[in-house]
Amino acid sequence: MAAVAERPARPSTEAARSDTVTFRVWRGDASAGEYREYTVALDEGMVVLDVIHRIQATQAGDLAVRWNCKAGKCGSCSAEINGKPRLMCMTRMDTFERGQVITVSPIKTFPLIRDLVTDVSFNFERAKEVPAFKPKAPDPDGKRRMHQEDVDRVQEFHKCIECFLCQNVCHVIRDHEDNKQHFAGPRLFVRLAALEMHPLDTNDRRELLKARAGLGYCNITKCCTEVCPEHIHITDNAIIPLKERVVTEFYDPVAWLARKLTGRDRRRGIVE
Amino acid sequence: MRVAPHRTERPDRWWLEPLITVVVLGGFVLYTTWAMVFGTSHFYADPYLSPFYSPCITRLCPADTLPYVPWAYSPAWLIFWAPLAFRLTCYYYRKAYYRSFFWTPPACAVPDAAHRYRGETRFPFVIQNLHRYAFWVALIVVAFLWIDAVKAFHFATGWGVGLGSIVLLLNAGLLTLYSFSCHSCRHLCGGLFDVLSRHGLRYRVWRFVSRWNEHHMAIAWTSLVFVAFSDVYVRLVSASVIADPRWLF
Amino acid sequence: MASESHETHEYDVVIIGAGGAGLRAAIEASAAGVKTALICKSLLGKAHTVMAEGGIAAALGNVWPEDNWKVHFRDTMRGGKMLNNWRMAQIHAQESPDRVLELEEWGALFDRTKDGLILQRDFGGHRYARLAHVGDRTGLEMIRTLQQHAVHKGIDVFMECNIQRLLKDGHKIAGAFGYWRESGGFVLFKAKAIVLATGGIGRSWKVTSNSWECTGDGIALALNAGAELIDMEMVQFHPTGMIWPPSVRGLLVTEGVRGDGGTLRNNSGERFMFRYIPEFFKAETADNETEADAWYTDKANNRRTPDLLPRDEVARAINAEAKAGRGSPHGGVFLDIASRRPADYIMKRLPSMYHQFMELAGVDITKEAMEIGPTCHYAMGGVRVDADTTATDVPGLFAAGEVAAGLHGANRLGGNSLSDLVVFGRRAGQYAAAYAKALRAQPLVDAGEVEQVARELLVPLTSHGGDNAYAIHAQLQECMQNNVGLIRVENEMIEALDVIASLKRRLPNVTVAGGRHYNPGWHLALDLQNMLAVSEACTRAALARKESRGGHTRDDFPSTDERFAMVNVVVRARDGELTLSDEPLPEMPDELKALFEEAH
């Protein structure tokens, strides 16, 4: 016997189709590589990652690819599909024209390890530079109170699944290797925004934003927002508000004068 | 090694969007330049004043306009810098022209044109940081546009409504929306606070501005096209090319 | 042979696995001042914890002041059909509120109540709204908070590093040996204490909510090192997994859908759960729709909706409905929130469910019902640990999180997993650090054994048998799905053991193309050893428990049996063979027993 719910009969209307699809997949490592074509069978509802898995299982067992959840929640399977940065697990095959050869390449901003896998350690190293969350004292009764309207804004940033597609698409480091030492990238700006706008946090990261993180390198061309699989409004809600905060601190002559006159130093200039 | 970062694998028409931007934005710049330099004879069709010439403050202007500045050239030269500075430093337009004119980048995952890139960290782009001041100045201009819009309902024979009145009213409305949906405005209204719930009124204002801010791009284009249209309309009426339909009370 | 060289690291405490439990253990061990390493086989922050959706159970009493640890303890034990280790359930219920508040202290942002405290939501089997949550992505919030806290504490993290064997000095833990996924190079960690926090086993089933990582590594490592397993037959099939299209089959649909008002219906629109209320929960479950719907807002005067019975009950009910021909087109049932809650409420409370269905199935859950069915979700069983210290019976070896067993008994309540991770993750870190400090000298690793393991790991790369690791994996999944699934029967499980044995024999013939450099074929060939070991332990234990209880349902023994009510099935590996025995549960003290005699 077997549980019916585990083994449904496929309704006849969805009889298996004998479709196939051809993928052009980057194969290679740091020394050399090329695109290779694979043709596999296609079933209804498949996503790009399913096709990659089928290639692995049937034709190229050593095809290197990172993936974990296959549900758009872990952000591991970032790649470039027909030149567009995307999660392979969230790209449905029925969004492509039939018969189209689909190109899958590794994300290009980071050093290639092998096939579709790249070395994204840049992002983890940059994360270490972010000053930690430092909460203010709790309320007199020992509890911490925050209102939904205060956390709404930051919760959007906490949706980030660290797929690094924004880092990958950002031309500041994608096209200018030398900028990697001056610029942290959109993912880190989202993280910094989450901390800067956290209702309980007391650390000030504006100096870091202006200097080491290189917020000024961003020319708000919004590709990070376009590729974000979590639909975080990276540019409008994180980067631009941070730019405005940095302006107040470092560029606004009136704000500077006000600080001088009221005698408030930078650290205490944090507004609640 | 990285995989060929110097070229794009995108098979789609990624160049279309920057191309449209170049055409529309370029067209607008050419038209306004013409309208300011050579269009000094038809910027006023009583009681309509072209928005490119508002506030109008030279002897060329209609009699009841405000402080009189001795200036022999087009009155538009005295004020055009204010809306220009606002649009030039606008967070949306920056995206539009960095992509289409500077090609940094022309489209997502398409390589930059330039080999070196320093963003907005150096002169002249570092000036973009003063967008909030351009916002304040733009507000003054918008105030004048409202005055013009009200005046546009007051004809020689008394109050009334002309198609031109409605055009100038819409124009003032769109430019107001454009100004108040600005990212700097959003910051100043309440975005600067970490604990928004402590600032009830400003939280609500921030929420309101944030909602409009989501449409900043659409408003930016609409208001841009409409302000040029308003100028064209006034010009056509002034040159008696078309007759302005009016209902006088 | 140069290929068998390896790099060596020396630590006091090595933590294997960087999900919620591993991260929390690392933070605690590092805070205790011992040299700590955190090893994970994916990138940091990608562990299966990110997929937890609904929330973290803790009796904070923010929404229902009547709630306290005793109620939580009682719910947990009843949900686990009293097969739980009572002491673990007690510690868990007592400590989880502090662990949740600690996450907030580290920057987590849970949804808020009107007066600014942590909001809690209803979940199956919990008497009160108890789950602190962030929309439907609580696990992500938790792992990111812990990850960032660990990073700021400067803990050494070894990413994409896969541990294959635990090494001992006599009977004590001495280290761990594995490979880097990237380079394929070998790495030896000398350690005084090791914490296993490797998570679950779901990849052995075909329809599963689990990510590729859930191959049961920790269970296999512990078994090989001589530790004991308990409750391996207790596998939770989550009642609501996606079932269409096939490529997303098994993907989790959070219980929060029902917690926030969703209901299960069959193909005639009937809310069938009212027909499946077991005797055990009759007194506390609404028997009509009016009362069930009123319960969401008035818990004092109404009994809970049967939609929120514990997961094992709901999964069986769904299975029975579908089997009786009352199911949805693709063999599940319908989960309907669209007709019961406004669209903006659904978008606010369940944003990732909305996107998951919209983007992967083309279904708008604010307008249509979802099609769902059971999916392999969680292992209640695993490594037997001491309730207070999380120590296994191998000195120096600790285990926490899903890999450890005892807390959840025969069935886990939703939300108790995330709290399990932080409560026992912390304890594992604490006691592993204490053990390491008390140990005077670093235990010695046998160099010969290391050489031997290294050679074994390279076999798939040099074998010429021609067998395909992916094919073996698919066959194992098919076998476990069909024969050791939600409903089990003896002859099918015996058949499963035959299949597992034959797959085991085929393993040495697996041939992998390519070299050691980031080669997923090779990695899978090695993971298969663990999956086969876990599958065998699970099947053997399931054969031994001749009754139905919680996550273990036998078609040939459909009811509970007193003879099994107070025993764990214990699995040990002795000379390469599994041995099983029934051993009594620890006795619950009288003052806790009294909690079950009071009226609910």
Side-chain angles (χ1 to χ4, degrees):
Chain A
M1 65 124 268
V4 171
E6 296 166 26
R7 274 194 286 187
R10 290 178 100 180
S12 55
T13 47
E14 282 128 4
R17 300 184 320 201
S18 57
D19 267 355
T20 60
V21 65
T22 301
F23 266 38
R24 229 175 117 237
V25 183
W26 178 266
R27 298 300 309 269
D29 57 23
S31 56
E34 61 181 354
Y35 285 101
R36 263 186 238 163
E37 290 200 358
Y38 300 91
T39 301
V40 292
L42 191 63
D43 295 323
E44 185 177 348
M46 273 173 110
V47 293
V48 168
L49 186 58
D50 287 316
V51 175
I52 295 287
H53 281 160
R54 193 160 279 183
I55 294 171
Q56 258 186 345
T58 57
Q59 299 177 36
D62 63 335
L63 170 58
V65 56
R66 269 197 194 106
W67 71 284
N68 275 36
C69 74
K70 201 172 163 293
K73 291 194 169 72
C74 75
S76 300
C77 62
S78 303
E80 301 194 359
I81 302 163
N82 279 347
K84 281 193 184 170
R86 308 215 39 162
L87 291 181
M88 288 189 271
C89 70
M90 295 303 278
T91 307
R92 284 173 60 156
M93 290 306 298
D94 55 15
T95 57
F96 300 103
E97 278 171 43
R98 290 239 189 143
Q100 188 186 356
V101 174
I102 293 156
T103 303
V104 183
S105 30
I107 55 176
K108 292 184 176 175
T109 299
F110 302 112
L112 185 66
I113 291 175
R114 187 157 174 267
D115 301 342
L116 299 177
V117 177
T118 53
D119 175 3
V120 292
S121 54
F122 169 84
N123 306 291
F124 291 99
E125 290 307 313
R126 280 296 190 157
K128 291 180 187 164
E129 294 165 7
V130 176
F133 173 69
K134 190 172 141 202
K136 59 188 171 200
D139 293 347
D141 62 355
K143 294 188 174 181
R144 292 197 176 280
R145 284 178 182 78
M146 288 180 268
H147 291 274
Q148 190 62 43
E149 52 264 47
D150 299 325
V151 302
D152 271 338
R153 178 171 54 167
V154 184
Q155 282 182 336
E156 181 190 8
F157 306 140
H158 283 203
K159 284 182 352 193
C160 172
I161 56 174
E162 297 199 328
C163 63
F164 307 129
L165 286 175
C166 58
Q167 302 285 82
N168 171 52
V169 83
C170 181
H171 70 112
V172 178
I173 46 177
R174 183 184 176 93
D175 300 329
H176 309 278
E177 186 69 33
D178 55 325
N179 283 343
K180 279 187 181 164
Q181 47 186 316
H182 310 298
F183 184 70
R187 162 57 191 139
L188 272 296
F189 295 142
V190 168
R191 166 106 176 93
L192 284 158
L195 287 164
E196 280 297 280
M197 298 177 199
H198 195 299
L200 297 182
D201 179 63
T202 58
N203 256 339
D204 184 356
R205 301 168 188 82
R206 285 175 293 184
E207 175 79 45
L208 172 90
L209 272 163
K210 177 174 179 279
R212 186 97 183 82
L215 186 64
Y217 280 78
C218 168
N219 66 347
I220 50 175
T221 34
K222 278 202 165 175
C223 287
C224 50
T225 306
E226 277 183 33
V227 301
C228 179
E230 286 291 304
H231 309 294
I232 301 171
H233 296 90
I234 300 175
T235 317
D236 288 321
N237 290 349
I239 294 180
I240 293 175
L242 286 178
K243 279 195 175 233
E244 285 293 321
R245 287 176 180 224
V246 167
V247 167
T248 306
E249 191 61 39
F250 298 103
Y251 297 103
D252 186 334
V254 176
W256 172 82
L257 194 65
R259 271 197 303 275
K260 286 284 165 208
L261 291 177
T262 57
R264 289 197 304 171
D265 68 5
R266 234 171 229 174
R267 208 137 263 294
R268 299 199 28 240
I270 301 166
V271 277
E272 279 204 337
Chain B
M1 188 198 104
R2 300 191 286 161
V3 180
H6 55 276
R7 51 179 289 238
T8 182
E9 305 283 349
R10 284 181 64 169
D12 60 332
R13 287 182 293 172
W14 55 263
W15 40 265
L16 194 61
E17 196 184 301
L19 182 68
I20 293 172
T21 310
V22 166
V23 169
V24 177
L25 220 49
F28 179 81
V29 168
L30 290 177
Y31 175 75
T32 41
T33 310
W34 174 84
M36 288 195 304
V37 178
F38 304 106
T40 47
S41 44
H42 290 293
F43 67 84
Y44 186 70
D46 188 41
Y48 310 142
L49 175 64
S50 157
F52 289 161
Y53 285 75
S54 178
C56 197
I57 46 177
T58 76
R59 77 178 65 175
L60 270 173
C61 298
D64 62 338
T65 35
L66 288 165
Y68 176 83
V69 179
W71 176 261
Y73 309 100
S74 167
W77 290 121
L78 291 176
I79 46 102
F80 85 101
W81 56 269
L84 177 70
F86 187 46
R87 297 229 176 210
L88 218 49
T89 59
C90 162
Y91 283 102
Y92 167 68
Y93 281 108
R94 275 144 78 177
K95 169 200 166 185
Y97 64 73
Y98 284 137
R99 278 198 188 190
S100 54
F101 288 89
F102 291 85
W103 289 19
T104 54
C108 300
V110 177
D112 275 8
H115 286 296
R116 264 175 82 80
Y117 171 86
R118 291 291 176 265
E120 298 181 340
T121 58
R122 311 278 159 90
F123 185 81
F125 297 112
V126 72
I127 296 173
Q128 309 276 32
N129 284 310
L130 295 179
H131 182 50
R132 58 179 63 169
Y133 289 97
F135 163 71
W136 291 121
V137 175
L139 281 192
I140 299 171
V141 176
V142 168
F144 279 102
L145 290 174
W146 277 104
I147 295 171
D148 294 340
V150 173
K151 281 185 183 169
F153 288 86
H154 195 251
F155 298 87
T157 53
W159 294 97
V161 181
L163 186 53
S165 329
I166 294 166
V167 167
L168 292 189
L169 187 71
L170 275 176
N171 180 55
L174 282 169
L175 289 172
T176 305
L177 271 187
Y178 173 63
S179 303
F180 283 105
S181 63
C182 150
H183 291 84
S184 284
C185 170
R186 183 181 179 218
H187 170 77
L188 297 167
C189 285
L192 71 172
F193 298 119
D194 291 344
V195 186
L196 288 158
S197 60
R198 260 188 227 161
H199 307 268
L201 177 66
R202 289 180 74 177
Y203 168 67
R204 284 195 294 278
V205 173
W206 175 78
R207 279 278 299 259
F208 181 77
V209 170
S210 298
R211 268 202 295 281
W212 283 102
N213 177 259
E214 286 172 29
H215 310 289
H216 197 51
M217 175 182 91
I219 300 169
W221 283 115
T222 316
S223 63
L224 184 87
V225 172
F226 201 84
V227 75
F229 170 76
S230 307
D231 178 81
V232 171
Y233 186 82
V234 171
R235 231 163 255 293
L236 293 177
V237 174
S238 169
S240 302
V241 177
I242 56 168
D244 178 50
R246 289 177 189 182
W247 299 270
L248 300 174
F249 306 138
Chain C
M1 204 165 111
S3 61
E4 288 164 47
S5 67
H6 60 78
E7 61 179 271
T8 305
H9 301 274
E10 197 167 314
Y11 283 92
D12 293 321
V13 174
V14 165
I15 290 146
I16 305 172
L23 279 162
R24 189 61 191 84
I27 290 167
E28 199 65 20
S30 161
V34 298
K35 197 176 172 216
T36 306
L38 180 60
I39 305 173
C40 48
K41 57 181 192 170
S42 289
L43 297 175
L44 185 62
K46 307 295 183 196
H48 195 56
T49 306
V50 298
M51 292 190 71
E53 292 165 354
I56 172 166
L60 292 160
N62 288 351
V63 175
W64 295 90
E66 299 91 327
D67 199 13
N68 59 51
W69 75 262
K70 288 177 183 165
V71 190
H72 191 183
F73 165 75
R74 180 180 169 280
D75 289 346
T76 302
M77 292 293 298
R78 281 174 65 84
K81 303 297 184 293
M82 308 302 283
L83 205 66
N84 322 50
N85 177 313
W86 67 267
R87 177 63 186 149
M88 287 179 89
Q90 183 189 28
I91 291 171
H92 168 256
Q94 286 172 330
E95 294 184 358
S96 55
D98 284 346
R99 298 286 79 76
V100 170
L101 294 172
E102 175 180 83
L103 289 171
E104 186 167 75
E105 195 77 10
W106 295 344
L109 283 172
F110 295 101
D111 287 349
R112 318 305 298 180
T113 63
K114 284 268 180 293
D115 44 358
L117 299 173
I118 295 174
L119 180 63
Q120 298 177 273
R121 75 154 41 120
D122 282 310
F123 240 56
H126 292 282
R127 181 154 162 66
Y128 297 107
R130 185 178 283 148
L131 270 70
H133 61 276
V134 190
D136 52 4
R137 49 161 198 85
T138 315
L140 173 65
E141 185 75 12
M142 187 165 124
I143 202 162
R144 211 57 90 223
T145 304
L146 291 170
Q147 172 189 344
Q148 284 157 356
H149 194 75
V151 165
H152 292 312
K153 295 290 167 203
I155 294 163
D156 292 342
V157 182
F158 295 82
M159 291 189 225
E160 300 202 306
C161 181
N162 204 333
I163 295 302
Q164 289 291 312
R165 207 66 59 88
L166 299 181
L167 306 164
K168 295 203 293 186
D169 178 359
H171 58 287
K172 286 199 306 283
I173 277 294
F177 187 77
Y179 62 87
W180 291 104
R181 284 161 64 78
E182 179 181 334
S183 64
F186 292 132
V187 54
L188 169 66
F189 293 89
K190 294 182 176 173
K192 292 178 181 166
I194 286 179
V195 177
L196 293 174
T198 54
I201 63 172
R203 290 311 291 184
S204 294
W205 280 262
K206 191 176 171 191
V207 178
T208 176
S209 65
N210 287 192
S211 79
W212 79 267
E213 292 191 298
C214 301
T215 49
D217 299 0
I219 291 175
L221 288 172
L223 203 57
N224 286 336
E228 298 164 346
L229 312 180
I230 56 168
D231 298 339
M232 285 304 293
E233 70 280 19
M234 296 301 177
V235 177
Q236 180 171 77
F237 287 79
H238 194 292
T240 60
M242 286 177 83
I243 56 172
W244 193 260
S247 91
V248 295
R249 187 150 194 175
L251 209 60
L252 187 64
V253 179
T254 176
E255 193 165 328
V257 175
R258 284 169 286 142
D260 289 344
T263 191
L264 294 163
R265 296 183 195 275
N266 60 22
N267 61 13
S268 59
E270 183 205 1
R271 292 171 67 178
F272 60 83
M273 280 309 297
F274 290 98
R275 288 191 275 107
Y276 293 92
I277 304 167
E279 202 54 48
F280 193 65
F281 292 105
K282 266 221 161 92
E284 58 201 71
T285 310
D287 54 11
N288 62 82
E289 297 189 10
T290 319
E291 183 178 358
D293 288 347
W295 168 84
Y296 282 102
T297 47
D298 178 6
K299 292 188 172 47
N301 298 310
N302 298 285
R303 292 169 299 171
R304 66 187 301 113
T305 170
D307 283 308
L308 285 173
L309 279 165
R311 288 174 175 174
D312 52 334
E313 311 287 355
V314 183
R316 274 192 296 270
I318 292 171
N319 186 60
E321 278 301 293
K323 208 170 166 183
R326 295 189 289 270
S328 66
H330 302 105
V333 296
F334 295 105
L335 174 59
D336 165 35
I337 191 167
S339 77
R340 294 170 53 83
R341 293 288 183 269
D344 56 342
Y345 174 87
I346 299 171
M347 298 286 283
K348 170 78 192 161
R349 303 283 298 173
L350 303 161
S352 48
M353 283 305 103
Y354 175 80
H355 285 293
Q356 184 172 313
F357 273 91
M358 202 58 157
E359 289 174 28
L360 294 174
V363 169
D364 181 349
I365 66 166
T366 66
K367 296 196 176 76
E368 309 162 63
M370 296 160 249
E371 249 191 282
I372 54 91
T375 176
C376 180
H377 185 55
Y378 189 86
M380 273 71 75
V383 183
R384 185 190 234 181
V385 291
D386 175 70
D388 289 83
T389 63
T390 77
T392 68
D393 46 0
V394 175
L397 183 63
F398 299 77
E402 189 172 348
V403 67
L407 169 61
H408 307 294
N411 173 55
R412 174 176 72 81
L413 294 185
N416 272 359
S417 177
L418 289 187
S419 41
D420 173 11
L421 303 184
V422 275
V423 167
F424 292 100
R426 173 181 155 276
R427 281 179 169 261
Q430 181 187 348
Y431 288 99
Y435 171 90
K437 276 183 181 169
L439 210 61
R440 282 174 197 285
Q442 191 91 21
L444 295 175
V445 168
D446 177 354
E449 188 185 356
V450 169
E451 275 289 304
Q452 171 63 25
V453 176
R455 272 195 299 274
E456 284 172 30
L457 296 185
L458 291 174
V459 167
L461 291 169
T462 50
S463 151
H464 298 289
D467 227 329
N468 181 339
Y470 297 93
I472 291 183
H473 185 209
Q475 282 166 34
L476 175 66
Q477 288 185 315
E478 198 76 44
C479 160
M480 292 303 284
Q481 186 70 32
N482 296 336
N483 300 327
V484 199
L486 177 59
I487 313 286
R488 300 160 177 177
V489 66
E490 185 170 284
N491 59 348
E492 289 187 354
M493 288 192 280
I494 290 171
E495 191 189 316
L497 285 178
D498 286 345
V499 174
I500 292 167
S502 78
L503 295 178
K504 261 187 172 173
R505 282 193 299 274
R506 277 166 62 187
L507 261 194
N509 299 326
V510 165
T511 306
V512 171
R516 290 171 68 172
H517 191 193
Y518 217 113
N519 186 341
W522 180 40
H523 304 164
L524 178 63
L526 298 176
D527 287 342
L528 272 174
Q529 298 177 358
N530 299 335
M531 284 189 266
L532 284 164
V534 168
S535 301
E536 184 181 355
C538 172
T539 310
R540 295 277 305 271
L543 269 168
R545 185 173 284 274
K546 294 181 172 26
E547 65 156 358
S548 292
R549 182 182 299 272
H552 174 66
T553 306
R554 294 276 303 251
D555 213 33
D556 42 358
F557 299 95
S559 49
T560 53
D561 186 333
E562 273 308 301
R563 286 178 301 153
F564 289 101
M566 295 298 287
V567 294
N568 292 125
V569 177
V570 182
V571 180
R572 296 181 180 86
R574 293 290 177 262
D575 306 321
E577 291 296 319
L578 296 185
T579 64
L580 276 77
S581 59
D582 294 346
E583 294 179 19
L585 290 168
E587 179 86 8
M588 194 190 301
D590 290 341
E591 70 266 25
L592 292 180
K593 275 184 186 159
L595 291 174
F596 297 88
E597 279 139 28
E598 294 163 11
H600 75 274

